[in-house]
């Protein structure tokens, strides 16, 4: 594809966006975001921002050409379409992915491969090092993409913040797909490709496509825990493709060097109506009793999990015990302390038992965030009657939403992780929860006394 200017890049992107809106094609999601990156770069030209405007525009053109070529290959069912781009484009028909996943899937090959490749194309050999400073300035613009998109998509995806608030290391590939690592990797690839012949560059790019394709698959299928959170977000996300494209195609520039925003701190009056305070200080306050059921969904996965032998023995005992004796009982007493901590603390004395026989005891402090939705859970846990053998202390995140009637916990327990999905019934007298990973599941039904 012969492109002579950044204006032609913009025209081509606008054409893709228009066609995508006409045909409700999710290809337009990334094209809209890409257009804003390009417009931001164009507006910096001639301002002294870049060291060499002509060279930078050439980089932008070569960078875009890789995307346009891949889009054309996908449209024509070209078998030579690079593997990482094939993952991204094929996913545009997947109705189960959230908008951010679609964006990350395209950013994955474009930043991890195309950006470095384009740099090496315009600056071969030792010349690549002259490009470094301007390359980093482009990276500064790219760094603003995810936080900007999360902010702008909040109306179309009202639970998108849940992913950011509850994410831990496993979810890095989803929330920012290790953006800094990708941008650093792009420069390393550029310097590795620059001294090579065209033939050797193609060999390296082909090898790179293998690993980047796998990263794309990881964005689609990040694992049970992350997918559970994504399903929650997806359930209330706007599905209208044109509406999403229009939101992403906001025309305004991206802001380079945008740092991750600090948590919003609500006023004292606003906190009283915040989901986390409603959940712990109003709904959950008091004594609860109920039933508990635990089962191993897959014994082979549990035994093959990367947890200690001691924890596997304990899980086996709990699983067999539940299978033999049936459901256990729960008692829970939640006491709020609104004046403690940054935005209040609630304490939970929690016990699972079968008659006099104790299965599980947890002393939990819920440290509420002044943003009104996040919570840090500080849990001291003991298992079974021989608690000195099986005790743990962990701190893990939770987020409260839907006005205090829903909660998601990212629970660390027995050397593994569970997603805890809690739902308060409309009368506020019952809470139903499911704690689950890919090989175990626990169900709790709690009734207020």
């Amino acid at each position: 594809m012969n492109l002579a200017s950044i204006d032609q890049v913009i025209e081509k992107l606008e054409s893709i966006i228009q066609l995508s809106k006409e045909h409700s094609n999710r290809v337009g999601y990334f094209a809209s975001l890409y257009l804003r990156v390009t417009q931001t770069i164009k507006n910096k030209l001639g301002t002294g921002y870049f060291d060499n405007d002509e060279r930078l525009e050439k980089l932008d053109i070569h960078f875009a050409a890789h995307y346009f070529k891949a889009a054309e290959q996908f449209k024509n069912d070209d078998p030579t379409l690079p593997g990482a781009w094939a993952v991204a484009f094929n996913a545009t028909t997947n109705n189960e992915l959230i908008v951010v996943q679609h964006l990350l899937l395209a950013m994955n090959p474009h930043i991890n491969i195309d950006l470095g490749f384009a740099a090496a194309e315009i600056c071969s050999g030792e010349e690549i090092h002259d490009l470094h400073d301007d390359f980093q300035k482009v990276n500064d613009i790219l760094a603003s993409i995810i936080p900007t998109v999360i902010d702008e998509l909040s109306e179309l995806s009202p639970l998108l913040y849940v992913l950011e608030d509850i994410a831990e290391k496993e979810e890095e590939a989803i929330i920012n797909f290790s953006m800094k690592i990708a941008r650093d990797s792009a420069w390393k690839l550029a310097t590795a490709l620059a001294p090579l012949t065209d033939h050797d560059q193609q060999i390296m790019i082909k090898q790179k496509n293998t690993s980047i394709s796998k990263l794309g698959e990881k964005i689609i299928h990040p694992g049970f825990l992350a997918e559970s959170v994504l399903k929650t977000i997806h359930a209330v996300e706007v599905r209208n493709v044109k509406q999403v494209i229009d939101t992403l195609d906001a025309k305004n520039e991206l802001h380079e060097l945008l740092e991750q925003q600090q948590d919003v701190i609500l006023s004292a009056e606003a906190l009283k109506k915040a989901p986390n305070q409603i959940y712990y200080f109003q709904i959950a306050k008091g004594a609860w009793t109920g039933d508990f059921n635990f089962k191993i969904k897959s014994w082979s996965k549990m035994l093959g999990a990367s947890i200690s032998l001691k924890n596997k023995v304990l899980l086996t005992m709990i699983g067999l015990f539940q299978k033999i004796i049936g459901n256990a009982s729960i008692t829970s007493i939640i006491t709020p302390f609104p004046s403690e901590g940054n935005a209040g603390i609630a304490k939970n004395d929690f016990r699972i038992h079968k008659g006099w026989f104790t299965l599980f005891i947890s002393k939990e402090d819920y440290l509420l965030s002044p943003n009104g939705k996040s919570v840090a859970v500080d849990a001291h846990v003991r298992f079974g009657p021989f608690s000195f053998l099986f005790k743990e202390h962990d701190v893990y995140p939770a987020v409260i939403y839907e006005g205090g009637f829903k909660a998601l916990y990212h629970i660390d327990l027995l050397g593994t992780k569970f997603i805890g999905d809690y739902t308060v019934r409309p009368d506020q007298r019952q809470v139903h929860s499911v704690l689950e990973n890919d090989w175990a599941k626990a169900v709790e039904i709690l009734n207020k006394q």
Side-chain angles (χ1 to χ4, degrees), residues 40-190:
T40 301
I41 291 173
K42 178 188 174 182
N43 291 341
K44 297 294 184 185
L45 297 175
T47 67
Y49 180 78
F50 296 113
D51 295 338
N52 186 321
D53 286 346
E54 182 181 352
R55 183 179 60 195
L56 198 287
E57 183 172 12
K58 189 175 181 181
L59 172 63
D60 186 276
I61 292 169
H62 279 253
F63 188 29
H66 287 281
Y67 168 64
F68 294 143
K69 180 180 179 181
E72 196 68 23
Q73 288 174 309
F74 174 71
K75 179 181 177 181
N76 296 328
D77 292 322
D78 188 337
T80 63
L81 173 66
W85 271 117
V87 172
F89 280 119
N90 288 331
T92 58
T93 61
N94 188 334
N95 297 323
E96 301 302 316
L97 302 181
I98 68 172
V99 174
V100 168
Q101 283 175 287
H102 285 293
L103 295 174
L104 294 180
L105 281 164
M107 290 163 62
N108 180 40
H110 203 40
I111 296 177
N112 274 312
I113 299 178
D114 295 349
L115 180 56
F117 196 3
E121 285 177 324
I122 68 164
C123 293
S124 59
E126 291 300 313
E127 290 181 6
I128 191 68
H129 300 290
D130 296 334
L131 181 63
H132 179 266
D133 289 350
D134 278 347
F135 189 93
Q136 292 307 115
K137 289 172 184 175
V138 171
N139 272 345
D140 290 340
I141 294 170
L142 295 175
S144 69
I145 290 176
I146 294 302
T148 299
V149 167
I150 289 175
D151 182 59
E152 292 178 347
L153 286 178
S154 59
E155 290 187 11
L156 303 185
S157 186
L159 294 183
L160 189 57
Y161 71 85
V162 171
L163 182 61
E164 190 171 20
D165 284 357
I166 205 170
E168 290 193 341
K169 290 181 179 179
E170 288 80 4
E171 285 76 57
E172 272 189 17
I174 308 167
I175 195 59
N176 62 10
F177 91 110
S178 300
M179 176 68 87
K180 184 179 185 305
I181 294 175
R183 291 182 290 119
D184 291 346
S185 176
W187 178 248
K188 289 179 181 178
L189 180 63

Side-chain angles (χ1 to χ4, degrees), residues 16-25 242 245-246 249:
I16 293 174
I17 293 166
Q18 184 58 38
L19 286 171
S20 296
K21 288 197 285 189
E22 291 174 2
H23 298 282
S24 293
N25 193 328
K242 182 179 182 299
I245 292 175
D246 285 339
D249 186 21

Side-chain angles (χ1 to χ4, degrees), residues 352-394:
I352 300 175
H353 58 96
K354 187 69 174 182
W356 58 268
F357 189 86
T358 297
L359 292 171
F360 177 89
I361 292 176
S362 183
K363 303 286 187 180
E364 300 167 351
D365 288 348
Y366 304 114
L367 286 70
L368 279 62
S369 168
N371 67 14
K373 49 189 175 62
S374 303
V375 179
V377 182
D378 189 337
H380 292 263
V381 173
R382 293 180 290 157
F383 296 88
F386 307 108
S387 58
F388 64 92
L389 291 175
F390 301 101
K391 58 183 180 180
E392 295 183 356
H393 173 224
D394 285 299

Side-chain angles (χ1 to χ4, degrees), residues 287-290 429 447-449:
W288 298 76
T289 61
R429 305 293 301 179
N447 298 289
K448 197 163 192 177
Q449 300 304 294

